[in-house]
Amino acid sequence: MSAPPPSGEASSRDADIAVQRQPDVQRQREAAQRLATERAQRERATREQAERERQAREQAARAAQEKAARERLAQQQAARERAERERQQQALLEAERQRNLERILGQAGASGAPTARGSAERDAAPSASYAGRLVAHIRPHIVFTDTVPGNPRAEVEVRTLPDGTIVSSRLLTSSGHRAWDEAVLRAIERTARLPRDENGRVPPTLILGFRPQE
C-alpha cells in the first residue's frame, strides 16, 4: 500500500485545478450575460415594434375619421346647395305661373266673349254645394293608406283657368300630417281640370278643405 502524497503537494494540485476552472466559469458568466442582454434587446425591440404599430393604427383611425368628417360636411353642403337651387327654381316657376295666370285672366276679363269672365263674374260667389262637389271630384285621385288620428283638415288654394284647368295649388293650412297634405296636393295635380259650377263658370280661385275621413 502506497503512502498518501504529502499535504503540500495535494494543496498545490487543488490550486492548479481551481486555476484551470476559472476560465470556464468566466466564460459561462459572460455567456449568461450575453444571453440576458440579447433577450432584453429582443424584448425592447418587440415593445418598440408594438408601440409603432399602435401609433400607426391610431394615426390611420384618425385619418379615416377626418376623411369621413370631410366627406360628411361636403355632402351636407352639397345637399344645402341643391335644396337652395331647387327652392329658387320652384320660386321662379311659381312666379312664372302667377304671371301667366294674371295674363290669361286679364285677357279673359277684357275680351267680352261669352265664355270670358269679367270682374263681375270673378267676384260672383260659387254656389253653396260647389266646393263639396269639387272635393268629391278630386277625392278619388287621393292615394293615401295611412291612419291619421283626429281626422284633421288640410286647406288648399286652387287656381284655375276659365275652362276649369288647374293652374296651381298650394297648401294654406296644414292638417298637421305632411303625408296627408302631400297626398291632397298630388291628387289635385292628377285631377287637372275641375267641373263648372251651376252657372257654367269656374271661379279663378278656390279654397277647398280635405279630411282623411269624409
Side-chain angles (χ1 to χ4, degrees), residues 2 10 22-23 40 47 64 74 78 101-102 108 123 126 130 134 143 152 169 176 179-180 190 195 209:
S2 61
Q22 284 180 355
R47 289 194 300 271
L101 176 62
E102 292 173 359
D123 294 337
Y130 186 52
L134 293 181
V143 179
S169 62
W180 172 247
R190 283 191 287 266

Side-chain angles (χ1 to χ4, degrees), residues 99-122:
R99 286 194 295 270
N100 290 337
L101 176 62
E102 292 173 359
R103 177 177 56 80
I104 293 171
L105 293 178
Q107 291 174 352
S111 65
T115 58
R117 293 182 294 185
S119 60
E121 290 181 343
R122 288 197 299 270

Side-chain angles (χ1 to χ4, degrees), residues 43-97:
E43 291 175 353
R44 183 170 60 253
T46 300
R47 289 194 300 271
E48 291 174 352
Q49 178 65 23
E51 178 64 17
R52 286 193 295 270
E53 292 176 354
R54 184 188 65 80
Q55 292 178 356
R57 287 194 299 271
E58 291 181 353
Q59 184 176 2
R62 285 194 299 270
Q65 291 175 352
E66 292 173 357
K67 180 181 179 182
R70 289 194 300 269
E71 291 177 350
R72 186 164 55 252
L73 289 175
Q75 291 174 354
Q76 292 173 352
Q77 179 65 22
R80 286 193 295 268
E81 292 176 354
R82 183 168 58 253
E84 178 62 19
R85 287 195 299 270
E86 292 176 354
R87 186 192 65 78
Q88 293 178 356
Q89 184 178 12
Q90 186 64 30
L92 291 174
L93 291 174
E94 180 63 23
E96 182 66 21
R97 282 196 296 267

Side-chain angles (χ1 to χ4, degrees), residues 2-212:
S2 61
S7 60
E9 184 179 348
S11 298
S12 176
R13 187 168 54 251
D14 292 341
D16 291 340
I17 294 172
V19 170
Q20 292 174 357
R21 289 179 176 175
Q22 284 180 355
D24 294 337
V25 173
Q26 181 66 24
R27 284 193 296 272
Q28 292 175 356
R29 185 181 298 112
E30 291 175 353
Q33 290 177 349
R34 283 196 302 272
L35 290 174
T37 301
E38 292 174 356
R39 183 168 57 252
Q41 290 175 346
R42 287 195 300 271
E43 291 175 353
R44 183 170 60 253
T46 300
R47 289 194 300 271
E48 291 174 352
Q49 178 65 23
E51 178 64 17
R52 286 193 295 270
E53 292 176 354
R54 184 188 65 80
Q55 292 178 356
R57 287 194 299 271
E58 291 181 353
Q59 184 176 2
R62 285 194 299 270
Q65 291 175 352
E66 292 173 357
K67 180 181 179 182
R70 289 194 300 269
E71 291 177 350
R72 186 164 55 252
L73 289 175
Q75 291 174 354
Q76 292 173 352
Q77 179 65 22
R80 286 193 295 268
E81 292 176 354
R82 183 168 58 253
E84 178 62 19
R85 287 195 299 270
E86 292 176 354
R87 186 192 65 78
Q88 293 178 356
Q89 184 178 12
Q90 186 64 30
L92 291 174
L93 291 174
E94 180 63 23
E96 182 66 21
R97 282 196 296 267
Q98 293 296 330
R99 286 194 295 270
N100 290 337
L101 176 62
E102 292 173 359
R103 177 177 56 80
I104 293 171
L105 293 178
Q107 291 174 352
S111 65
T115 58
R117 293 182 294 185
S119 60
E121 290 181 343
R122 288 197 299 270
D123 294 337
S127 63
S129 62
Y130 186 52
R133 288 194 292 113
L134 293 181
V135 171
H137 181 75
I138 295 170
R139 180 167 288 278
H141 297 282
I142 297 178
V143 179
F144 187 76
T145 58
D146 296 345
T147 300
V148 178
N151 200 29
R153 184 174 187 267
E155 192 171 88
V156 181
E157 178 189 79
V158 181
R159 294 196 173 192
T160 66
L161 297 179
D163 65 350
T165 299
I166 296 174
V167 178
S168 66
S169 62
R170 66 186 182 96
L171 186 68
L172 293 180
T173 304
S174 172
S175 65
H177 294 271
R178 182 177 178 181
W180 172 247
D181 297 341
E182 293 178 350
V184 170
L185 292 174
R186 286 194 298 268
I188 293 173
E189 291 179 0
R190 283 191 287 266
T191 301
R193 178 177 293 184
L194 298 178
R196 298 177 185 273
D197 198 359
E198 295 173 353
N199 57 9
R201 298 192 296 266
V202 179
T205 303
L206 296 158
I207 307 298
L208 303 177
F210 296 84
R211 297 181 184 274

